[in-house]
Amino acid sequence: MNIATSQVTLTVNGLTTELRSPPATRLAHALRDEHGLTGTKVGCDAGDCGACTVLIDGEQLCACMVSVAQAAGRNVVTVEGLAKNGDLSDLQAAFLRHGAAQCGICTPGMLMAAHDLLGKRGSPSEQEVADALGGVLCRCTGYRKIIDAILDVGGSRRGDEPEIGKAVGSRVGRLDGAPKVTGDDVFGADFAPPGALTLRVIRAPVASGRFRIGDLGAFKAAHPGISAVYTADDIPGHNAFGVYPTGKDQPVLADGLIRYRGEALVAVVGHPGAVAALRDDDLPLHFEQTTPVIGISQAAANGATLVHADRPGNILAEGRLVKGDTAAGFAMADHVAEGAWQTSFVEHAYIEPEAGWAERVGDRIEIHVTTQSPYMDRDEVAHVLGMEKEQIRIVPTACGGGFGGKLDLSVQPLIALAARDLGVPVRCAYTRPESMASSTKRHPAAIRARAGCCADGKLLAFEFHGDFDTGAYASWGPTVADRVPVHATGPYVVSNVKNTSCALLTNAPPSGAFRGFGVPQSAIANEALMDDLAEMCGIDPLDFRLINALRKGDETSSGQRLEYSAGLAECLEALRSAWDTEREEAGRFNAAAGDVRRGVGIAGMWYGCGNTSMSNPSTITIGISAEGQVTLYNGAMDMGQGPNTIMPQIAADALGVPFGRFNVVAGDTDRTADAGKSSASRQTFVSGKAAQRAGENLRTKILRLANVGPNAVLEIDHGKIVVHDGEAERTLDLTAMAADAEGDVLTGKGTFDPPTKPLDDNGQGVPYATYGFGAHLAVADIDMVLGNVKIRRIVAAHDVGRAINPTFLEGQIHGGIAQGLGLALMEEYIPGRTENLHDYLIPTFGDVPPIDVILVEDPEPLGPYGAKGIGEQALIPTAPAIFNAVRHATGVRLHHAPATPCRVRDAILAARKSNHV
Amino acid sequence: MDALHSFEVIRPKTVDEALAARIAHRHSRMIGGGTDLLVNIRRRIETPSVLIDTSDLTDLKTIEHGDTGLSIGASVRLFEVAEHPNIQHFYPAIAQAAGSIAGPTHRNMGTVGGNLCLDTRCIYYNQSEWWREANDHCLKTELGDMCHVAPKSKGVCFATYSGDLAPALMLFGAEIDLLGPDGERTVAMRDFYIGSSRQDGSKGDGINYMAIKPGEFVVRVRASSPGRLISGYDKIRIRRSIEYPVAGCAAALTRDDDTLTDIRIAFTGTNPRPVFLEGTADLAGSTLSDSVLEGIDNLCKDQLMSMKTTFTPGHYRRRVATQMAKRLVGQLFNAAG
């Protein structure tokens, strides 16, 4: 059989199907592009992520590694083939029930791999699940709930259906969950209108230098499929973007100057085939390379080349917090510990690369894009295009993971520019190498810190300086510089503090927002010092933290008195029983004196919810239609963490109707109010409060219309609301009321802006209205010969104020731990080197150990029903707990993240040399 | 960036058809699972005009085990090797090696022939075209003439061989059956991998790493009967799956009372070839003592050569490969006691 012509026949989901794509097309693309089977996702196109896993002749395979010609005659099943006649399979239902799908981008691949396993082993063990699904990466869930779902595939399908007033606290499934398990959810690359042109960005191959554009006319003449080529000169508004009003320093398309490898230079738009066939060197670009500024020490060196001429010393931003007198504090201290730490660039590695499409509608531009900040996107695109904000509409697609990386613009301004210029829809999806080269990263840190305490363990003084490599552009660098001094002392009471930070510009990809904004890095230093001091004092590390824990009534290092919701001590106490048994067990294990040693480490955490000393309001609206449909217009972007479900849970109780009544309109800037960005662990706390107020506002209106008391019970029915107040019963006829543009006849609105106070020159003030607290315990086995570290168990206790949805909270904590484990042990992005997901290692199925989650509820009066945030809190204590576990096992202090086997082994050998072990 | 160059796919039903296609298309490549080749094609590392898909070659899909040894067809997939009861029982190193490769999707797709011929790897090579262009390419590709790993290498390439199966098979004196325009021939595995990367260029390197002639392809691999050899495979990796070995080690030995009577060790992930450690015969004849372990150390020092071809430093790969070998030998010796 020779397959050179463009037609093959195969079976797809039971139907005989013809594919006409050229034989060299990969099956994943043919299924998506020819048959709209976009449930099969493309995350890496190289067999590294497994998002495109399908069944071929009954076995799980990556559809990105099979050409159409090889698939001829085969039997292919995609995720779309799992549900029968609209009924979810047991496996799909179990995924929903257990919260196994967060953002949903890996879910189809996970389902197909699980389907393969369950076909072979009816009741698999946990180990068999981990082995069989080891080819699919997930960045959200930490894999634990996927295991739970597969082990419970035959379980009861009945989910939580809370009665009125009981939605908060219940384990309801995702309101937007079904499309995530059927493959119907539409992500950034999954749709564009017929006839859409494709945009591709040509990127800088050098880290610094200049470039010149040659004869574009000749290029276009030679490439008839190319409709347009855009350069810096074509940007109609401001060719500068950035999340800070004072930090709009990144060009949409570089204007002759290159500041990092991967920077956007030119955008080419044309027919998909013509764009795909284009090679970078087809374009008349001429480069002149200069010596780049690499790393913190080069950037800070005297006479260093300036990355931006207007930023002397390459300093983007500095942060400072001074309280008391550290010199006096250290003078009084019985014990002083100090050290230096270093961390690396960390890639967000969301499984969905940046993607979207745009079209011109009248004099407006509509942009459908994967994002975690639709309103900021709108404002920034307007700024770039020189248009009014109201002329831009952002319609978020499903977001396949963000973690901070989708707060900055990516495809948005370019597809908007092209769609406006050409008058046809234009789409763009980054490849994995492109995403990794161009997107923001976690800031690498170089930290020096010291801490002093009394003989009884009470902390007296703390000093910290962190330099952060902020890359080529501002992005969220100022936030890191702000947040770090506030948090660097850790969740402990210290009277004499001096914390400083500096964000330095280099010729690396911009460092931006990544789950924790510098705090995960600083926690590594801080929590190592706590263990050092505990050892010097001869105090148990858990007790040492309890002695110093911030509690209600204590003052933080920024001088803020905590009045409510400071549950660190409860979290630490919650770990005690595991701490005692695991330490004892480790002692027994190590008595055997084998090559592997076991250690148990602990670390505390705190993290302020919302922006630092900055207004960050959210508004949520709710409507009831004449038919009695309740809709929550949710501007709080759901990237898997759950606002599309959590906001209705909160609003349902505030309004006094069943959760099941709600549907959600998500993110659309024309239809929702601004609920800020999904970052800074703010959505549950800030937008959640707005949702509560919106529900209360609507309830008040209904009660007033019905003229009944506050305890009345609402019964929404088709076309009417029946209001019961004791004996009285009133009926509101919804059909008689005037409807707004959404078709709603009754609406409620709520806004919340968490109260903060500015920080003075010494960093004193009220930076956040509330803080999340928590502590992790890690049990680790360290191979003393090879240097590899295997995490056996994590116990995580978090004060969440109030658990709105325990399943989602566990999911956030699992996922945060997985990313913290990656930060600690394996994740290291090297600019100019790392560009794919097999050199950049994120934890796989077998790397995330069993996790015990303990939810502590110390209510925050400002939050919705007492709730506060969890997104970033979940990640922060993991890496320090792991490092402390390694130290407990080996006596070796780790100073460099990630602690790869090579670094651990080198540290063990170095310590042996100096007789420390 | 995404589009593959256009190529033709031929799916022969028989080995004869495959050979005919191979002869008819001089620039063809054989493709098994494609987990290595298609990824390299996407990166334009190579652009063959014809792919000969081996997935319908039923003659090459058999595993035969008997008194004389083991024979595995080139189109047998990796998971079949890992799960085969006789291989697990008689050749545990081979089953363990197969079961440790990448992830389950890759083991379902990848074939024995493909894994044996796995292209050597280097951080300057297994990257996108854009990346390689930006780094002036390297001598393993047609467009480059410089080795970034060893700039003074004078045209010698140090890309690392990372296949897991080869070292395990080498323990059992495996031979590879090749078929080509000149007929069938058999090559001992130790002679098949020629990536010595010697400065005098006398043998192969990371570019020419297999003793394979134009038009030839692997039809099967045969291993001798294990006799009383007990064997095992271990590898170090940074995460549990979807990762090439940082270093891998296969070992086999026989023990009579307290005497180590045979000892064989082979490595992957260190050199431009799988390394069958030469000289271990001299270590047999006594019990497993410190001097035997020291002997392994010394042989490894001479024969393992790990360069900066991966994200993990070479000195580490070389040392832990050695440590793994000593540990594995110790475990096998104890298990045999």
Side-chain angles (χ1 to χ4, degrees):
Chain A
M1 177 164 55
N2 288 23
I3 303 155
T5 53
S6 299
Q7 183 169 330
V8 303
T9 303
L10 68 168
T11 306
V12 179
N13 298 331
L15 300 173
T16 302
T17 304
E18 284 183 356
L19 295 177
R20 292 194 165 74
S21 300
T25 310
R26 267 82 54 76
L27 180 62
H29 294 271
L31 290 170
R32 291 171 58 83
D33 298 343
E34 280 193 61
H35 290 278
L37 294 170
T38 53
T40 300
K41 306 301 179 188
V42 174
C44 71
D45 240 346
D48 299 326
C49 79
C52 66
T53 300
V54 299
L55 301 182
I56 300 185
D57 294 341
E59 281 162 358
Q60 56 162 320
L61 301 175
C62 286
C64 76
M65 290 195 290
V66 179
S67 70
V68 162
Q70 293 171 285
R74 309 262 190 245
N75 182 6
V76 176
V77 181
T78 70
V79 70
E80 290 90 347
L82 293 184
K84 299 290 179 222
N85 307 319
D87 291 333
L88 298 183
S89 69
D90 286 346
L91 185 62
Q92 289 170 311
F95 263 56
L96 288 184
R97 197 165 60 242
H98 285 276
Q102 286 191 25
C103 82
I105 193 78
C106 76
T107 306
M110 289 290 178
L111 286 166
M112 301 321 289
H115 202 77
D116 179 17
L117 168 69
L118 292 170
K120 288 172 182 157
R121 309 243 195 293
S123 317
S125 67
E126 183 175 326
Q127 188 58 50
E128 284 171 328
V129 172
D131 289 345
L133 273 71
V136 191
L137 296 178
C138 172
R139 192 58 158 165
C140 295
T141 65
Y143 305 101
R144 302 307 307 181
K145 291 206 175 283
I146 298 172
I147 293 176
D148 293 346
I150 295 168
L151 295 180
D152 182 40
V153 66
S156 162
R157 286 200 175 207
R158 283 195 34 179
D160 235 358
E161 287 171 21
E163 54 189 272
I164 291 178
K166 298 277 173 64
V168 168
S170 77
R171 291 180 179 267
V172 293
R174 300 187 68 97
L175 205 57
D176 56 359
K180 295 187 187 295
V181 297
T182 57
D184 293 336
D185 218 2
V186 179
F187 291 84
D190 288 345
F191 176 80
L197 297 178
T198 297
L199 181 145
R200 198 179 114 195
V201 185
I202 308 299
R203 298 187 175 279
V206 298
S208 73
R210 305 194 68 83
F211 72 104
R212 194 169 51 74
I213 301 170
D215 185 354
L216 285 177
F219 166 78
K220 277 191 268 191
H223 294 84
I226 301 300
S227 311
V229 182
Y230 297 106
T231 70
D233 292 342
D234 299 307
I235 306 294
H238 302 88
N239 187 17
F241 70 97
V243 290
Y244 274 82
T246 54
K248 295 200 182 301
D249 62 356
Q250 183 167 1
V252 173
L253 293 169
D255 192 2
L257 197 60
I258 294 168
R259 292 195 179 90
Y260 76 98
R261 184 167 141 164
E263 178 155 21
L265 308 180
V266 166
V268 182
V269 184
H271 291 285
V275 172
L278 204 63
R279 312 276 294 274
D280 278 20
D281 48 12
D282 294 339
L283 278 127
L285 299 179
H286 309 283
F287 298 99
E288 190 188 316
Q289 192 167 355
T290 56
T291 307
V293 177
I294 294 172
I296 289 165
S297 55
Q298 283 188 15
N302 277 334
T305 306
L306 294 186
V307 177
H308 291 262
D310 60 348
R311 299 280 189 190
N314 283 319
I315 294 171
L316 171 72
E318 290 175 290
R320 181 170 186 271
L321 181 150
V322 177
K323 181 187 185 182
D325 178 348
T326 51
F330 280 112
M332 280 162 55
D334 294 308
H335 303 291
V336 174
E338 64 186 313
W341 291 265
Q342 192 181 338
T343 72
S344 307
F345 281 106
V346 182
E347 160 70 24
H348 296 89
Y350 24 74
I351 304 301
E352 179 205 30
E354 297 78 357
W357 62 276
E359 69 178 341
R360 194 167 75 194
V361 179
D363 66 347
R364 304 180 75 213
I365 305 291
E366 293 189 0
I367 305 168
H368 302 252
V369 68
T370 176
T371 180
Q372 52 188 107
S373 48
Y375 276 84
M376 280 172 47
D377 288 359
R378 181 197 65 172
D379 298 356
E380 287 236 73
V381 170
H383 186 252
V384 168
L385 294 187
M387 294 170 72
E388 298 299 322
K389 289 173 185 174
E390 293 68 31
Q391 288 180 284
I392 309 292
R393 179 184 186 184
I394 304 289
V395 187
T397 63
C399 177
F403 319 113
K406 287 174 183 166
L407 288 167
D408 295 66
L409 290 183
S410 58
V411 301
Q412 295 90 329
L414 291 169
I415 55 178
L417 168 69
R420 185 172 93 154
D421 180 49
L422 299 170
V424 293
V426 175
R427 76 190 307 180
C428 178
Y430 286 0
T431 63
R432 178 61 58 181
E434 182 177 19
S435 173
M436 292 184 73
S438 65
S439 68
T440 61
K441 309 284 175 268
R442 181 187 294 287
H443 286 71
I447 294 169
R448 292 201 65 87
R450 63 177 186 142
C453 70
C454 307
D456 65 2
K458 195 78 193 148
L459 288 166
L460 287 172
F462 190 88
E463 282 182 355
F464 174 103
H465 179 76
D467 284 323
F468 291 82
D469 184 341
T470 205
Y473 294 104
S475 182
W476 296 85
T479 310
V480 171
D482 282 353
R483 274 202 178 255
V484 166
V486 175
H487 291 91
T489 321
Y492 307 112
V493 181
V494 193
S495 312
N496 304 295
V497 181
K498 185 179 177 193
N499 294 339
T500 54
S501 63
C502 182
L504 289 151
L505 292 152
T506 65
N507 290 118
S511 296
F514 192 161
R515 220 171 179 176
F517 287 108
V519 180
Q521 296 95 306
S522 66
I524 288 174
N526 167 264
E527 292 293 327
L529 292 178
M530 296 303 107
D531 265 23
D532 283 343
L533 290 177
E535 187 179 302
M536 289 173 176
C537 295
I539 297 175
D540 174 274
L542 190 154
D543 289 329
F544 184 87
R545 287 169 173 82
L546 266 177
I547 289 168
N548 293 293
L550 275 167
R551 299 163 198 254
K552 266 175 255 186
D554 286 337
E555 201 177 87
T556 68
S557 44
S558 56
Q560 177 180 1
R561 194 161 297 283
L562 299 176
E563 291 180 49
Y564 306 99
S565 194
L568 175 62
E570 291 89 329
C571 290
L572 288 165
E573 289 292 3
L575 297 183
R576 188 181 291 279
S577 105
W579 174 253
D580 290 342
T581 52
E582 291 289 0
R583 280 233 158 181
E584 206 181 306
E585 166 59 27
R588 266 198 301 277
F589 180 88
N590 291 336
D595 285 350
V596 176
R597 293 187 62 83
R598 183 164 298 167
V600 186
I602 194 169
M605 173 283 302
W606 70 321
Y607 192 79
C609 299
N611 293 1
T612 313
S613 290
M614 217 191 279
S615 169
N616 62 132
S618 282
T619 299
I620 296 283
T621 56
I622 305 173
I624 301 178
S625 72
E627 292 76 35
Q629 174 65 54
V630 187
T631 303
L632 187 141
Y633 299 90
N634 181 27
M637 196 53 213
D638 196 321
M639 48 184 174
Q641 84 282 34
N644 283 344
T645 310
I646 286 166
M647 300 304 149
Q649 278 185 267
I650 293 166
D653 284 5
L655 177 57
V657 303
F659 169 76
R661 275 271 160 200
F662 273 81
N663 72 8
V664 164
V665 168
D668 185 334
T669 55
D670 272 12
R671 301 179 66 193
T672 68
D674 187 352
K677 60 209 186 321
S678 288
S679 79
S681 304
R682 60 179 294 284
Q683 290 300 18
T684 298
F685 175 53
V686 183
S687 298
K689 187 67 178 184
Q692 183 184 349
R693 288 180 173 173
E696 289 166 352
N697 176 246
L698 180 53
R699 180 175 174 84
T700 303
K701 286 183 184 176
I702 293 169
L703 299 186
R704 196 175 299 148
L705 280 173
N707 196 21
V708 294
N711 297 323
V713 175
L714 311 187
E715 193 188 323
I716 301 179
D717 207 343
H718 193 83
K720 62 184 178 186
I721 302 178
V722 184
V723 185
H724 306 272
D725 190 12
E727 298 293 303
E729 182 182 301
R730 304 264 160 71
T731 299
L732 301 179
D733 181 3
L734 297 173
T735 60
M737 300 180 187
D740 66 11
E742 291 285 359
D744 292 326
V745 295
L746 290 168
T747 58
K749 184 174 180 179
T751 296
F752 178 61
D753 190 3
T756 60
K757 287 181 191 155
L759 295 173
D760 66 16
D761 289 348
N762 285 327
Q764 300 296 299
V766 180
Y768 309 102
T770 192
Y771 298 81
F773 290 89
H776 287 184
L777 175 155
V779 185
D781 279 356
I782 294 87
D783 187 322
M784 299 295 284
V785 177
L786 304 182
N788 49 354
V789 177
K790 177 165 176 54
I791 308 304
R792 295 174 53 82
R793 182 189 180 195
I794 301 272
V795 187
H798 284 275
D799 168 22
V800 297
R802 173 81 187 275
I804 304 288
N805 188 321
T807 302
F808 287 26
L809 281 161
E810 289 157 3
Q812 283 297 293
I813 293 167
H814 291 167
I817 287 169
Q819 292 185 0
L821 189 153
L823 168 71
L825 299 179
M826 62 183 80
E827 298 193 31
E828 182 167 21
Y829 174 93
I830 303 170
R833 283 281 167 92
T834 328
E835 66 151 14
N836 58 55
L837 289 177
H838 69 250
D839 289 330
Y840 188 81
L841 303 174
I842 67 171
T844 64
F845 234 106
D847 296 301
V848 182
I851 297 168
D852 301 338
V853 173
I854 301 164
L855 298 178
V856 170
E857 296 183 307
D858 187 355
E860 167 52 57
L862 287 171
Y865 299 101
K868 47 191 186 177
I870 189 63
E872 291 155 293
Q873 286 81 357
L875 181 151
I876 293 165
T878 310
I882 289 172
F883 279 21
N884 287 343
V886 172
R887 173 219 179 100
H888 176 231
T890 65
V892 168
R893 293 159 173 81
L894 298 174
H895 293 273
H896 197 159
T900 55
C902 178
R903 287 198 183 116
V904 173
R905 182 172 176 274
D906 286 349
I908 290 171
L909 293 179
R912 276 196 186 135
K913 225 176 209 169
S914 52
N915 292 323
H916 282 148
V917 179
Chain B
M1 267 191 205
D2 264 341
L4 306 189
H5 74 282
S6 75
F7 52 74
E8 179 187 354
V9 176
I10 300 174
R11 260 167 59 180
K13 298 278 185 209
T14 66
V15 175
D16 286 346
E17 278 178 35
L19 180 59
R22 198 84 166 115
I23 291 168
H25 303 279
R26 284 178 51 83
H27 298 292
S28 61
R29 289 291 313 267
M30 305 296 283
I31 184 164
T35 56
D36 186 37
L37 183 58
L38 262 188
V39 176
N40 283 353
I41 286 175
R42 174 181 171 244
R43 296 189 169 128
R44 282 184 190 266
I45 283 174
E46 51 186 311
T47 53
S49 55
V50 173
L51 296 183
I52 302 172
D53 180 347
T54 64
S55 55
D56 290 345
L57 297 178
T58 41
D59 288 353
L60 302 189
K61 289 185 170 184
T62 54
I63 298 174
E64 285 165 30
H65 172 256
D67 293 343
T68 55
L70 173 71
S71 165
I72 310 175
S75 291
V76 169
R77 288 178 297 158
L78 298 170
F79 82 93
E80 298 174 274
V81 175
E83 294 178 4
H84 197 278
N86 280 332
I87 299 180
Q88 286 175 344
H89 186 255
F90 294 103
Y91 305 87
I94 297 174
Q96 289 163 12
S100 75
I101 294 167
T105 41
H106 310 86
R107 296 194 292 273
N108 281 350
M109 301 172 85
T111 62
V112 169
N115 192 261
L116 292 177
C117 297
L118 187 74
D119 196 1
T120 55
R121 302 181 58 79
C122 178
I123 50 172
Y124 292 93
Y125 177 68
N126 299 93
Q127 305 282 12
S128 69
E129 188 180 29
W130 176 78
W131 193 103
R132 285 178 286 118
E133 168 92 35
N135 281 282
D136 290 337
H137 300 277
C138 80
L139 58 83
K140 188 163 157 65
T141 59
E142 284 172 10
L143 294 165
D145 53 10
M146 151 115 134
C147 175
H148 302 283
V149 167
K152 293 175 183 166
S153 77
K154 294 180 184 153
V156 175
C157 167
F158 292 95
T160 302
Y161 182 82
S162 308
D164 287 279
L165 280 182
L169 283 157
M170 283 171 142
L171 300 176
F172 305 100
E175 297 176 322
I176 291 179
D177 292 340
L178 298 163
L179 183 63
D182 298 334
E184 190 162 336
R185 69 183 178 113
T186 296
V187 184
M189 246 178 151
R190 287 159 64 180
D191 300 326
F192 182 74
Y193 295 105
I194 55 173
S196 296
S197 296
R198 295 213 179 96
Q199 280 295 333
D200 61 10
S202 59
K203 288 183 89 180
D205 64 356
I207 301 168
N208 299 303
Y209 60 98
M210 295 186 291
I212 198 161
K213 295 177 187 166
E216 279 188 333
F217 57 97
V218 175
V219 289
R220 73 185 68 77
V221 60
R222 288 180 290 105
S224 310
S225 162
R228 293 186 302 111
L229 279 174
I230 63 162
S231 66
Y233 184 75
D234 195 8
K235 72 199 268 189
I236 182 160
R237 43 189 163 180
I238 294 171
R239 64 179 182 185
R240 283 299 300 164
S241 56
I242 337 177
E243 190 186 355
Y244 287 93
V246 171
C249 173
L253 54 80
T254 54
R255 174 179 175 170
D256 289 297
D257 297 325
D258 263 350
T259 306
L260 188 60
T261 43
D262 192 353
I263 173 169
R264 307 172 187 191
I265 298 170
F267 296 97
T268 190
T270 56
N271 296 37
R273 61 187 171 99
V275 176
F276 184 82
L277 202 62
E278 304 287 346
T280 56
D282 295 341
L283 302 175
S286 63
T287 190
L288 180 62
S289 60
D290 285 350
S291 74
V292 172
L293 297 177
E294 202 177 308
I296 294 173
D297 247 340
N298 290 331
L299 295 175
C300 288
K301 265 181 203 152
D302 286 347
Q303 296 173 47
L304 297 188
M305 175 191 66
S306 299
M307 305 285 281
K308 289 186 289 183
T309 52
T310 69
F311 278 85
T312 303
H315 79 273
Y316 173 80
R317 283 154 54 217
R318 184 159 160 252
R319 285 305 300 159
V320 296
T322 308
Q323 297 289 358
M324 254 192 313
K326 292 194 288 187
R327 182 187 288 181
L328 191 51
V329 165
Q331 286 165 353
L332 293 170
F333 189 77
N334 289 337

